[in-house]
Amino acid sequence: MAETDELVDLRSGPPSAPPTPAARRATAPWPYAVGLATAAGLGVVLALTGTHWANHPAVAAWRTVCLAITVQALPFLLLGTALSGAINAFVPADLFTRVLPRRPALAVPVASVAGAVLPGCECASVPVAGSLIRRGVTPAAAFAFLLSAPAINPIVLTATAVAFPGNPAMVLARLLASLATAAVMGWLWLWLGREDWLRPAVRHTGHHPGHSRWREFRLGFQHDFLHAGGYLVLGAMAAATFNVAVPRSVLDAFTGSPWLSVPFLTLLAVLLAVCSEADAFVAASLTGFSPVARLAFLVVGPMVDLKLIALQTGTFGRAFALRFSTATTLVAVAATVLIGGALL
């Protein structure tokens, strides 16, 4: 309990200004309670009905998909939270503000291009973006980085080239559409975004003089990983439910319509929650859909999916996640149609 109280002090302000009860409630990790309640409910069901239903093929498939999504994303979540904790504890507070252009409108495209340096998926970019905001980076630039990092890093682009051999236009279209979406969303935040949509803890810097940096790193990593991990599991459960519940015939019904295929694969990208390092191979397997529709799957998926929405909710708050994910989807589809229509 003492470590928890100290962590709240580190995240919310100096030790002399303890957080109010309202602030404590605002930062409470409610996924823990959801997880405990779910586990308790499953225990009661098992006790009353036995375990024979757990061997049903649909249940086994759900369990496999949920575990696969979680295990696939977990290493990148570890990378992101470790990097977030290191930035929070060791990086000088003014480093990013000195490196990025002073004008926020110019900082946004620079941050979008900088997303190429993080070899991780969306699970890593969310905690890193939160840490950048705590270090004084304008939220618009941090959000541009959040969107571009999982979509244009070298691992993702290489995987796309392997999945679409002999089709460099698909790689270029993914790069340009993702960069355009990230930059436009950063500029939209500058124009329309409001700071009170963000969870209060995100708006404070991390390190405070007088605290051990290694201890601060450990506590910050522990808090971010456990908190984001709960939302990751919730998102994986929702994605697994869709995978099992929707029959293959539903997918086939949309392949023949160019107008329906783009919104359908956009929705599919959100619900399947495939890691950005693997989504190109899924898109390549959807041979019945048009190239533009498959590009929509590649552009939207790393920016808006169930586990990413859940992670954004846990890091930045529900008010932010709802608005930001909706706007990002619309901008990503528009960029896909324009750029994909010209190149593919």
Side-chain angles (χ1 to χ4, degrees), residues 42-62:
L42 289 175
V44 171
V45 172
L46 288 173
L48 294 176
T49 64
T51 60
H52 62 277
W53 62 271
N55 296 322
H56 190 278
V59 177
W62 183 92

Side-chain angles (χ1 to χ4, degrees), residues 28-154:
W30 66 265
Y32 303 159
V34 174
L36 290 175
T38 303
L42 289 175
V44 171
V45 172
L46 288 173
L48 294 176
T49 64
T51 60
H52 62 277
W53 62 271
N55 296 322
H56 190 278
V59 177
W62 183 92
R63 187 170 58 243
T64 300
V65 172
C66 183
L67 183 61
I69 292 174
T70 303
V71 171
Q72 185 182 49
L74 194 59
F76 299 104
L77 182 61
L78 279 168
L79 171 65
T81 50
L83 185 57
S84 171
I87 291 173
N88 188 61
F90 299 113
V91 175
D94 62 343
L95 175 64
F96 298 103
T97 55
R98 287 190 283 108
V99 171
L100 291 173
R102 292 185 178 274
R103 295 182 60 183
L106 296 179
V108 165
V110 173
S112 299
V113 175
V117 304
L118 180 65
C121 72
E122 56 269 27
C123 298
S125 63
V126 173
V128 172
S131 184
L132 291 176
I133 295 175
R134 290 194 296 269
R135 304 310 285 168
V137 173
T138 176
F143 297 148
F145 174 85
L146 181 153
L147 295 177
S148 67
I152 67 169
N153 70 70

Side-chain angles (χ1 to χ4, degrees), residues 133-301:
I133 295 175
R134 290 194 296 269
R135 304 310 285 168
V137 173
T138 176
F143 297 148
F145 174 85
L146 181 153
L147 295 177
S148 67
I152 67 169
N153 70 70
I155 295 177
V156 169
L157 295 180
T158 301
T160 305
V162 172
F164 292 90
N167 190 4
M170 180 64 77
V171 181
L172 179 61
R174 181 176 194 177
L175 171 64
L176 295 179
S178 299
L179 278 175
T181 302
V184 169
M185 284 304 302
W187 287 322
L188 279 178
W189 180 266
L190 286 177
W191 180 32
L192 301 173
R194 290 167 48 184
E195 191 171 335
D196 59 5
W197 290 343
L198 298 176
R199 189 183 299 275
V202 178
R203 299 197 294 265
H204 295 281
T205 57
H207 180 68
H208 296 280
H211 295 283
S212 166
R213 291 182 181 268
W214 281 107
R215 182 176 179 81
E216 202 168 285
F217 167 76
R218 180 176 62 83
L219 293 175
F221 171 78
Q222 173 184 306
H223 175 273
D224 287 348
F225 178 74
L226 293 178
H227 192 69
Y231 286 93
L232 170 62
V233 172
L234 291 177
M237 292 170 64
T241 301
F242 174 83
N243 274 269
V244 173
V246 178
R248 177 71 186 182
S249 58
V250 175
L251 303 182
D252 296 336
F254 289 87
T255 57
S257 173
W259 296 104
L260 294 178
S261 59
V262 171
F264 180 76
L265 284 194
T266 297
L267 178 63
L268 191 66
V270 174
L271 297 178
L272 287 183
V274 182
C275 190
S276 59
E277 276 76 15
D279 62 359
F281 300 96
V282 177
S285 69
L286 301 173
T287 54
F289 292 91
S290 67
V292 174
R294 288 190 281 176
L295 177 63
F297 184 90
L298 296 176
V299 174
V300 173

